[in-house]
Amino acid sequence: MKPHAHIDRCRSPRKKQWTLSIVFAVLFGISIWGCFLLAQETIDWKDSWHNLLHYGRILFLQPKRSDHLPLGELAYSLGISFALSILTTIGGAAIAFFLALGAARNIAPSAVVKIIRIITAVIRSIPTIIWVLVFSVTVNIGTDAAVIGMCFHSIAYLVKVFSESFEQINRDTIDALRACGAGFFGIITQAVIPVAATSIISWTFFRFEINFINAVAIGAAAGSGGIGYYLFMAGNLYYDIREVGAITYTIFGTVILLEMLSLRLRKGIKQH
């Protein structure tokens, strides 16, 4: 081994540490600078803190469903958010599965891998709500834009995690199947699915949890319906903080149930 190579290896971790330190220092400095740029003379900090504590106490300690939102309508709106998250997760997972085959280095050619990974990385870098707003211009504001936008981002997210799961398959196994005459679908059924099935199920359900939260946010921001829409109406039209609290607790309880179901599912997958 050349002595210069050993020195370069030692310098590489230090260079990364220095780079991270500089980045964090710059971000910290920008944050502090931003605090001083606030128009503090127009902010009444005493009233601001008083209002925060007052409305926070009402929101979390005095939640109450009003006549604007009957119990049946609350359940129905929650079902719409569920349906939206299920539809976008299943559709996104089905498309992402085949695209991920082209993004796995041990399955597809390197040129195809690079193209798919670059495109999906760009899509992932843009938040879901932005994609929904983009499609609302071309399609229409409402459920159609929400479904396409959420499915679009779900595909890009799942392509990454699915392809990483596929890359755990030994390349020799795939080459052996090809040598025996196995085609594209033969490799999928005999190598990909048996090895990556548990990982696919786990990641798909995890994306379902994310999509439920996105469905709530998009319902409030893009008018796609669901429980998020009623949350927006209660907070911005009726100004009913108690109803906002009731809807918030409903969403919070649903997310907790989803998390418990997710943990059980992953535990069952690991045991099998």
Side-chain angles (χ1 to χ4, degrees):
M1 180 184 292
K2 296 180 180 180
H4 297 291
H6 179 72
I7 294 173
D8 291 338
R9 288 184 179 180
C10 294
R11 287 178 178 176
S12 181
R14 293 181 182 179
K15 186 177 180 180
K16 292 180 180 179
Q17 291 177 358
W18 273 106
T19 303
L20 289 174
S21 300
I22 292 172
V23 170
F24 282 119
V26 170
L27 293 176
F28 180 75
I30 293 174
S31 302
I32 298 299
W33 182 47
C35 292
F36 286 103
L37 290 179
L38 290 174
Q40 299 186 15
E41 65 277 0
T42 62
I43 300 176
D44 191 333
W45 293 101
K46 184 177 180 181
D47 286 345
S48 297
W49 281 106
H50 178 268
N51 291 333
L52 176 64
L53 294 175
H54 174 69
Y55 290 116
R57 178 177 57 83
I58 296 175
L59 177 68
F60 293 107
L61 301 180
Q62 299 176 12
K64 182 180 179 182
R65 183 177 49 82
S66 69
D67 295 335
H68 299 116
L69 185 59
L71 186 60
E73 193 68 25
L74 178 64
Y76 178 73
S77 63
L78 185 63
I80 291 177
S81 297
F82 258 113
L84 183 59
S85 56
I86 291 172
L87 177 63
T88 53
T89 302
I90 294 176
I95 298 173
F97 177 82
F98 291 100
L99 288 178
L101 293 172
R105 295 187 182 92
N106 57 342
I107 299 176
S110 58
V112 177
V113 171
K114 290 180 181 179
I115 292 172
I116 295 178
R117 292 201 171 199
I118 290 172
I119 294 174
T120 54
V122 172
I123 295 173
R124 284 195 309 271
S125 64
I126 301 174
T128 305
I129 184 63
I130 303 299
W131 284 117
V132 173
L133 294 176
V134 169
F135 286 111
S136 67
V137 176
T138 57
V139 182
N140 196 5
I141 295 176
T143 308
D144 293 340
V147 170
I148 297 173
M150 289 175 61
C151 192
F152 203 61
H153 197 275
S154 297
I155 292 170
Y157 179 90
L158 291 174
V159 164
K160 175 179 172 58
V161 294
F162 285 179
S163 62
E164 290 176 353
S165 300
F166 298 162
E167 287 178 351
Q168 295 177 6
I169 304 171
N170 194 335
R171 187 187 291 268
D172 294 337
T173 302
I174 297 174
D175 292 339
L177 288 172
R178 286 174 176 166
C180 294
F184 178 73
F185 290 101
I187 293 173
I188 293 175
T189 56
Q190 298 180 40
V192 175
I193 293 178
V195 174
T198 55
S199 180
I200 290 172
I201 295 172
S202 180
W203 279 114
T204 301
F205 195 87
F206 182 72
R207 183 64 200 189
F208 169 69
E209 295 180 49
I210 297 174
N211 280 344
F212 176 73
I213 301 300
N214 287 334
V216 173
I218 290 168
S224 62
I227 198 169
Y229 174 75
Y230 288 98
L231 181 64
F232 171 80
M233 296 291 287
N236 293 273
L237 184 62
Y238 307 131
Y239 303 106
D240 191 339
I241 303 300
R242 289 182 174 85
E243 185 173 293
V244 172
I247 297 174
T248 301
Y249 275 117
T250 302
I251 297 171
F252 180 72
T254 304
V255 172
I256 293 297
L257 291 176
L258 286 176
E259 184 63 26
M260 293 172 61
L261 181 61
S262 175
L263 290 174
R264 286 202 167 191
L265 178 64
R266 293 173 188 174
K267 185 177 180 181
I269 290 174
K270 289 181 179 179
Q271 288 177 352
H272 289 81

